[in-house]
């Protein structure tokens, strides 16, 4: 037993020595491995790893520019930028996007539409760019996200400037709105200009002047920790803000036009005849442009899109209507200038017109006729028979030539995102468009602005400004010349005999002043300024000639005739030229025009009266 308990010291020493040497060898190998690895990392891969380290520590962030503001003629804001808090996500910092979105859905209210749109945008954007998920967070939502931000890497609450339209629906069709960039736009855009922003001008002035309103983005280098929290800004290049726009539009006049059209489907376009500046461009019904800025919901958009009254439709520039009798002053000028008839030419109106050798009767609106009628009386009474007669004498190609001089049948070039050209027919047009010859009966009805002829309210207002100027053609403009906005192009002139202008304008004055004028009983009373105008009634549904008048009255709402009115005032020194269209209400346009002209001219007349009184008092005191 004693021998068994005696220790074998040499054996133990050998075992200990073996273990020590083994440990030494392992330590040497490990140290060698570490040295080799350190050498490889710090020497061989230094440049690559240093770059990656800097990229993890330092990030380049785009700083979006501030969008330019839009003002009316008197400096009142029509489009501004307001601060708002936005929930954003940076894709490269998120490990599981679906999980992150689910967690955020527990903290803030997210519509499925928002989530779907975000998923489309986030994978189209650069991985290091923040992509908005939800705009306009409430204080409660901001607090919830902030408390949980430590477990949601890549999620941030950012303060951003959001476009806001203080006038809401008043300027919707003229100013337009901005909205989220869609896939089609993204393919065409310069991504360097739009990195950091997700909005773009969609309609109206916002879209037309997108390039100057946008500005140019800046950037900043930021140092962040492992969680992505910004520690400090290392370098910053400030963005260049967009340029401001000042418009000719007058907010007070726009409100007056919108109120005059309230409850109606229609449009008003008013110009300053001297400059071509658009004083008002109103279309009703309208809509709140703020709904589109951060993305409109599908249900809300569907309600607007499917509304039978078409609030999204800009009737002022896109609405193409038969100009009807508003065309008659221009047809009269064409007949005089082309030497088709003299100013004293007259016919005996029996209530209808017939082409030689034909039985069909083209009716005058007054069934019994107006008897002996010259041009002035024909304009005042809106006599159809007279204009049937001179239209046939001129022929459609002469009518086409002269109407084109006034800008009808072609785009005016207004600085707005969308405008339709209307239609001024000719023989060549019909052969090309319809593959058919032109018939004499089509010339007859062209003389009163019916048939194929179409015009927008903007075109009619522009043509009326030519009448007001006695031949000087001005190009309509919304934006005043300024930074990024070119000056108004040089004026053109439609050469006509001065007597011809006076003859036609005399007829237009009698429309309002003569007791038998077609607008006299609606606006002719208590006028404090002179007006030259012309009414028009555009048929929506053709009525057979043998139908009774009482039967023709029983038409559905959307089948009733449109009412039109063009005018300029004061006649001696025109300060406004306008065109009004009211759909399916043949009598309302004149009253709308009176309210708009009163809103523009009466304050100016009152100012002149006060100035005269003050001047008179001063002279009296001096004496």
């Amino acid at each position: 037993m004693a021998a068994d308990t005696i220790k074998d010291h040499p054996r133990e020493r050998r075992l200990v020595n073996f273990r020590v040497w083994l440990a030494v060898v392992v330590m040497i190998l490990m140290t060698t491995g570490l040295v080799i690895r350190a050498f490889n990392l710090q020497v061989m891969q230094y440049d690559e790893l240093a770059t990656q380290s800097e990229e993890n520590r330092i990030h380049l962030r785009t700083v979006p520019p501030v969008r330019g503001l839009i003002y009316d003629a008197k400096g009142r804001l029509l489009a501004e930028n307001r601060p708002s808090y936005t929930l954003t996500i940076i894709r490269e910092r998120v490990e599981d996007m679906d999980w992150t979105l689910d967690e955020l859905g527990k903290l803030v209210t997210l519509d499925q539409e928002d989530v779907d749109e975000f998923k489309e945008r986030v994978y189209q954007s650069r991985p290091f760019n923040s992509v908005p998920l939800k705009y306009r967070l409430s204080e409660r939502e901001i607090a919830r996200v902030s408390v949980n931000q430590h477990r949601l890497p890549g999620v941030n609450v950012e303060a951003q400037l959001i476009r806001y339209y203080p006038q809401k629906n008043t300027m919707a069709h003229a100013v337009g709105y901005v909205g989220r960039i869609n896939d089609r736009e993204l393919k065409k855009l310069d991504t360097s200009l739009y990195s950091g922003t997700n909005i773009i001008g969609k309609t109206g002035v916002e879209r037309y002047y997108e390039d100057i309103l946008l500005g140019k983005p800046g950037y900043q280098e930021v140092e962040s920790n492992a969680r992505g929290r910004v520690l400090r800004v290392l370098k910053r290049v400030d963005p260049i803000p967009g340029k401001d726009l000042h418009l000719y539009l007058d907010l007070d006049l726009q409100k007056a036009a919108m109120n005059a059209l309230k409850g109606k489907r229609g449009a008003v376009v008013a110009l300053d005849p001297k400059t071509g500046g658009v004083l008002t461009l109103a279309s009703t019904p309208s809509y709140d442009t703020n709904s589109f800025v951060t993305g409109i919901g599908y249900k809300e958009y569907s309600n607007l899109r499917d509304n039978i009254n078409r609030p999204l439709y800009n009737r002022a520039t896109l609405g193409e209507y038969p100009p009807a009798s508003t065309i008659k002053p221009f047809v009269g000028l064409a007949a005089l200038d082309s030497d088709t008839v003299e100013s004293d030419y007259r016919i005996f109106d029996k209530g209808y017109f017939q082409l030689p050798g034909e039985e069909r009767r083209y009716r005058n609106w007054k069934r019994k006729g107006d008897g002996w009628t010259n041009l002035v009386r024909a304009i005042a009474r809106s006599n159809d028979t007279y204009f049937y007669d001179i239209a046939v004498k001129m022929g459609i190609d002469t009518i086409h030539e002269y109407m084109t001089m006034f800008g009808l049948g072609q785009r005016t070039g207004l600085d707005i995102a969308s405008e339709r050209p209307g239609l001024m027919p000719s023989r060549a047009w019909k052969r090309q468009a319809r593959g058919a010859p032109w018939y004499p009966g089509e010339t007859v009805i062209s003389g009163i602005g019916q048939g194929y002829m179409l015009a927008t309210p903007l075109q009619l207002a522009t043509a009326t400004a030519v009448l007001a100027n006695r031949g000087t053609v001005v190009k309509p403009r919304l934006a005043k010349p300024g930074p990024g906005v070119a000056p108004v192009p040089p004026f053109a002139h439609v050469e006509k005999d001065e007597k011809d202008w006076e003859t036609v304008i005399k007829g237009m004055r009698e429309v309002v002043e003569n007791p038998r004028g077609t607008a006299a009983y609606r606006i002719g009373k208590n006028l404090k300024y002179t007006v030259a105008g012309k009414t028009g009634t555009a048929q929506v549904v053709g009525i057979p000639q043998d139908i009774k008048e009482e039967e023709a009255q029983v038409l559905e709402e959307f089948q009733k005739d449109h009412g039109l009115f063009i005018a300029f005032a004061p006649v001696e020194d025109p300060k406004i030229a306008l065109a009004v269209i009211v759909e399916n209400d043949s009598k309302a346009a004149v009253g709308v025009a009176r309210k708009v002209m009163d809103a523009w001219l009466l304050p100016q007349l009152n100012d002149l009266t006060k100035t005269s009184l003050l001047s008179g008092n001063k002279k009296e005191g001096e004496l």
Side-chain angles (χ1 to χ4, degrees), residues 284-359:
T284 56
S286 188
Y287 59 96
D288 185 353
T289 44
N290 292 301
S291 302
F292 289 84
V293 174
T294 56
I296 189 171
Y298 178 78
K299 184 177 180 181
E300 185 178 358
Y301 179 72
S302 296
N303 290 337
L304 289 172
R305 181 195 61 199
D306 301 333
N307 189 318
I308 193 171
N309 293 313
R310 304 175 74 186
L312 296 175
Y313 187 61
N314 185 357
R315 290 166 166 83
T317 62
L318 298 177
E320 295 175 303
Y321 306 91
S325 293
T326 60
I327 205 77
K328 290 175 180 176
F330 308 103
V331 174
L333 270 170
L336 295 177
D337 190 68
S338 63
D339 295 326
T340 301
V341 298
E342 298 294 332
S343 59
D344 58 355
Y345 173 74
R346 62 178 188 161
I347 66 167
F348 187 82
D349 173 29
K350 296 179 292 185
Y352 61 88
F353 173 83
Q354 286 179 292
L355 286 166
E358 290 192 11
E359 294 184 2

Side-chain angles (χ1 to χ4, degrees), residues 501-572:
W501 294 110
E502 294 305 323
T503 298
V504 169
I505 292 172
K506 181 181 179 182
M508 295 178 69
R509 288 191 65 167
E510 291 202 6
V511 168
V512 177
E513 297 173 0
N514 191 310
R516 299 193 67 197
T518 53
Y521 72 96
R522 286 195 283 269
I523 68 167
K525 295 181 179 180
N526 303 318
L527 272 173
K528 296 183 179 180
Y529 48 85
T530 55
V531 176
K534 185 68 194 77
T535 55
T537 303
Q539 275 192 346
V540 177
V541 178
I543 301 173
Q545 295 194 27
D546 58 350
I547 194 171
K548 295 179 180 179
E549 287 191 30
E550 56 270 20
E551 294 176 358
Q553 298 297 322
V554 185
L555 290 173
E556 293 294 331
E557 170 71 17
F558 287 86
Q559 294 179 327
K560 293 180 180 179
D561 295 342
H562 300 326
L564 299 96
F565 188 67
I566 61 171
F568 64 88
V571 175
E572 302 79 14

Side-chain angles (χ1 to χ4, degrees), residues 473-495:
V473 181
V474 292
K475 186 174 182 179
R477 303 294 289 177
L478 281 165
K480 294 182 177 180
V485 182
V488 178
F491 297 154
H493 198 79
V494 178
E495 296 294 342

Side-chain angles (χ1 to χ4, degrees), residues 93 244 300 360 364 371 451:
R93 297 181 185 171
D244 295 341
E300 185 178 358
R360 179 178 177 180
N364 182 24

Side-chain angles (χ1 to χ4, degrees), residues 21 32 101 106 112 143 170 305 374 396 411 442 489 495-496 498 596:
W21 281 105
T32 302
L101 292 173
K106 300 174 184 176
Q112 188 59 42
T170 303
R305 181 195 61 199
N374 59 15
I396 189 59
R411 291 181 177 88
E442 294 169 331
E495 296 294 342
K496 297 284 178 292
E498 184 64 28
V596 173

Side-chain angles (χ1 to χ4, degrees), residues 5-312:
T5 60
I6 297 174
K7 295 182 178 179
D8 187 350
H9 293 288
R11 183 172 176 273
E12 290 181 353
R13 189 178 299 112
R14 288 194 299 274
L15 181 61
V16 170
N17 289 340
F18 173 77
R19 290 175 176 175
V20 170
W21 281 105
L22 180 63
V24 170
V25 170
V26 171
M27 290 177 65
I28 291 173
L29 291 175
M30 292 179 65
T31 302
T32 302
L34 288 173
V35 171
I36 292 172
R37 181 59 177 164
F39 178 81
N40 185 51
L41 292 175
Q42 297 186 27
V43 179
M44 301 300 294
Q45 300 184 41
Y46 173 80
D47 292 337
E48 179 184 352
L49 295 177
T51 301
Q52 290 182 12
S53 176
E54 284 297 303
E55 288 179 350
N56 289 332
R57 184 177 69 90
I58 299 174
H59 297 272
L60 192 66
R61 286 189 171 186
T62 301
V63 181
V66 177
R67 194 171 180 87
L69 307 179
I70 302 176
Y71 298 90
D72 86 329
K74 296 176 182 174
R76 291 167 292 194
L77 271 172
L78 305 180
E80 61 178 318
N81 304 304
R82 288 190 174 182
S84 175
Y85 288 94
T86 303
L87 180 63
T88 65
I89 297 179
I90 300 175
R91 174 160 57 96
E92 69 176 1
R93 297 181 185 171
V94 177
E95 295 182 1
D96 188 335
M97 185 64 73
D98 290 333
W99 179 85
T100 299
L101 292 173
D102 288 341
E103 290 299 305
L104 287 173
K106 300 174 184 176
L107 304 175
V108 301
T109 303
L110 291 177
D111 295 332
Q112 188 59 42
E113 291 179 43
D114 294 332
V115 175
D116 293 340
E117 288 182 12
F118 168 79
K119 287 182 177 179
E120 289 182 11
R121 292 196 307 272
V122 74
Y123 292 107
Q124 293 172 349
S125 304
R126 296 176 181 177
F128 54 82
N129 280 346
S130 61
V131 178
L133 173 61
K134 183 179 180 180
Y135 295 89
R136 297 172 181 167
L137 295 177
S138 65
E139 292 183 1
R140 182 182 294 272
E141 289 174 328
I142 294 171
R144 287 175 177 172
V145 174
S146 299
V147 168
N148 291 275
Q149 200 165 3
H150 67 280
R151 63 186 187 88
L152 297 170
V155 175
N156 296 294
V157 175
E158 299 180 4
Q160 294 183 340
L161 290 175
I162 300 297
R163 201 63 157 175
Y164 180 73
Y165 302 99
Q167 302 305 326
K168 299 182 179 179
N169 66 339
T170 303
M171 291 283 185
H173 293 102
V175 173
Y177 60 84
V178 298
R180 294 179 184 175
I181 298 172
N182 58 38
D183 295 340
R184 185 180 65 258
E185 292 164 338
L186 194 62
K187 294 175 183 178
K188 300 177 182 178
L189 295 178
D190 182 349
T191 54
S192 63
L193 290 176
Y194 285 86
S195 59
T197 183
N198 295 283
I199 65 167
I200 189 173
K202 296 286 188 177
T203 64
V205 167
E206 287 276 27
R207 180 178 171 184
Y208 189 91
Y209 289 107
E210 171 68 17
D211 292 344
I212 71 170
L213 288 168
L214 173 64
K216 293 183 179 180
Y219 69 89
Q220 59 183 11
E221 291 181 358
V222 298
E223 182 180 5
S224 58
N225 59 19
R227 292 185 177 181
R229 184 179 295 276
V230 176
L231 302 177
R232 59 177 175 152
V233 177
L234 303 176
K235 181 181 178 181
R236 177 182 173 92
V237 175
D238 291 329
I240 300 174
K243 297 179 177 65
D244 295 341
L245 273 182
H246 294 265
L247 307 183
Y248 287 102
L249 289 170
D250 184 273
L251 179 57
D252 294 330
L253 189 63
Q254 183 80 3
K255 288 180 177 179
M258 294 294 286
N259 288 332
L261 287 169
K262 191 173 183 180
K264 303 177 178 68
R265 295 178 297 276
V268 176
V269 180
L271 309 179
D272 180 344
K274 294 181 175 62
T275 65
V278 179
L279 305 175
T280 183
L281 192 146
S283 177
T284 56
S286 188
Y287 59 96
D288 185 353
T289 44
N290 292 301
S291 302
F292 289 84
V293 174
T294 56
I296 189 171
Y298 178 78
K299 184 177 180 181
E300 185 178 358
Y301 179 72
S302 296
N303 290 337
L304 289 172
R305 181 195 61 199
D306 301 333
N307 189 318
I308 193 171
N309 293 313
R310 304 175 74 186
L312 296 175

Side-chain angles (χ1 to χ4, degrees), residues 611-623:
T611 303
S612 299
L613 289 173
L614 290 173
S615 176
N617 290 337
K618 183 178 179 182
K619 290 180 180 178
E620 190 174 359
E622 290 175 347
L623 291 171

